[in-house]
Amino acid sequence: MDREIDREICGWIIEFLVRKSTDEMLVKKLIQSLPPLSLHSKPRLKKMLLLHSIKSEILVGNVTEKILDHLEMIERIDCSQRLRIPDSMKEAYCAVALESTAKYLAGSWNRYNNYLDAVNRIWRGRIENLEKSKTSKLVSEQLINRRRQVEAAVGDEEAANDLIRTNTRNNALLNLRLYLRESFDLMGPPLLEREHGSVSGVV
């Protein structure tokens, strides 16, 4: 029983640090030093850690396919909790998928092969599977339209140049920041902060 309580408190501490600490190295060290937590039974904490990972990536300007993985996992958590998938999440997913593909078009001597690999991996693989599932809320009209644009750039130089001229990286970073802000707002304050407020109210 005490061990279960300790794990619960550890979860509150991790969530509080993820939300409130500005020292990224301290957060990482403390997370590693705390006892293992069953994230499968703690959807809120698991989501918080995934959001933190996304935040860490964009703080250094990284937009990678790893973020697509995280957004897909967050969607599954939200759906399991019967939470609405916000438009900001769909837009962020679409923007990251586009940047993860379009970045291969510019400045690479082997750009066509690299771009085609990304199209196959992301749009004809990952996203096509989401479309076929008929269950993912990440599949939006915008995502479908972007897929047409991506596919057109495979064999059309003008379409490829249009994609190169689009600032897909900054657009992805902006959309991710907007999603993170909305997501943290919807989750409310950390549970440790709420508990402290409840105790203070009683005292």
Side-chain angles (χ1 to χ4, degrees):
M1 183 69 175
D2 289 342
R3 181 178 298 177
E4 203 55 44
I5 293 173
D6 288 344
R7 288 182 178 178
E8 191 72 23
I9 293 172
C10 284
W12 292 357
I13 293 170
I14 292 173
E15 181 191 6
F16 182 82
L17 288 171
V18 167
R19 291 288 297 275
K20 299 297 182 178
S21 177
T22 57
D23 189 334
E24 184 65 21
M25 290 304 297
L26 174 64
V27 172
K28 287 182 179 179
K29 287 178 181 178
L30 286 172
I31 289 174
Q32 291 169 358
S33 68
L34 289 168
L37 298 165
S38 176
L39 297 181
H40 297 292
S41 62
K42 300 182 183 298
R44 178 185 170 91
L45 178 56
K46 184 172 184 179
K47 178 178 178 177
M48 186 64 67
L49 293 177
L50 289 168
L51 290 171
H52 177 259
S53 181
I54 294 173
K55 180 182 175 183
S56 298
E57 289 290 312
I58 66 174
L59 279 175
V60 293
N62 289 339
V63 180
T64 66
E65 291 172 52
K66 176 183 177 182
I67 295 177
L68 295 178
D69 291 332
H70 288 353
L71 290 172
E72 289 170 13
M73 284 189 277
I74 291 171
E75 186 210 15
R76 289 195 289 271
I77 292 171
D78 284 353
C79 288
S80 72
Q81 301 296 299
R82 300 183 183 277
L83 298 176
R84 181 182 66 86
I85 304 302
D87 289 340
S88 62
M89 184 181 188
K90 300 173 188 178
E91 289 163 6
Y93 185 85
C94 180
V96 172
L98 187 63
E99 160 59 10
S100 297
T101 313
K103 66 183 179 182
Y104 293 107
L105 278 176
S108 173
W109 65 271
N110 195 30
R111 69 177 194 170
Y112 177 78
N113 288 335
N114 291 335
Y115 178 75
L116 186 58
D117 285 346
V119 172
N120 286 330
R121 185 173 62 252
I122 298 170
W123 298 89
R124 297 173 183 172
R126 179 194 294 269
I127 290 172
E128 187 170 300
N129 288 336
L130 288 182
E131 291 177 2
K132 287 179 178 178
S133 74
K134 305 289 187 184
T135 58
S136 176
K137 305 299 184 183
L138 294 174
V139 179
S140 62
E141 191 64 34
Q142 182 187 35
L143 188 70
I144 293 169
N145 289 336
R146 286 301 192 185
R147 182 176 180 182
R148 294 192 189 104
Q149 183 182 9
V150 164
E151 292 285 1
V154 171
D156 187 323
E157 191 68 24
E158 186 176 345
N161 288 332
D162 285 343
L163 202 49
I164 291 171
R165 285 190 290 268
T166 304
N167 198 336
T168 54
R169 181 174 176 276
N170 280 359
N171 189 47
L173 290 170
L174 174 62
N175 277 281
L176 284 166
R177 290 190 187 102
L178 291 173
Y179 165 64
L180 287 176
R181 185 184 307 156
E182 181 177 7
S183 195
F184 285 133
D185 285 347
L186 288 171
M187 293 183 79
L191 293 175
L192 187 63
E193 193 173 302
R194 291 188 204 176
E195 289 298 317
H196 179 264
S198 299
V199 173
S200 299
V202 171
V203 174

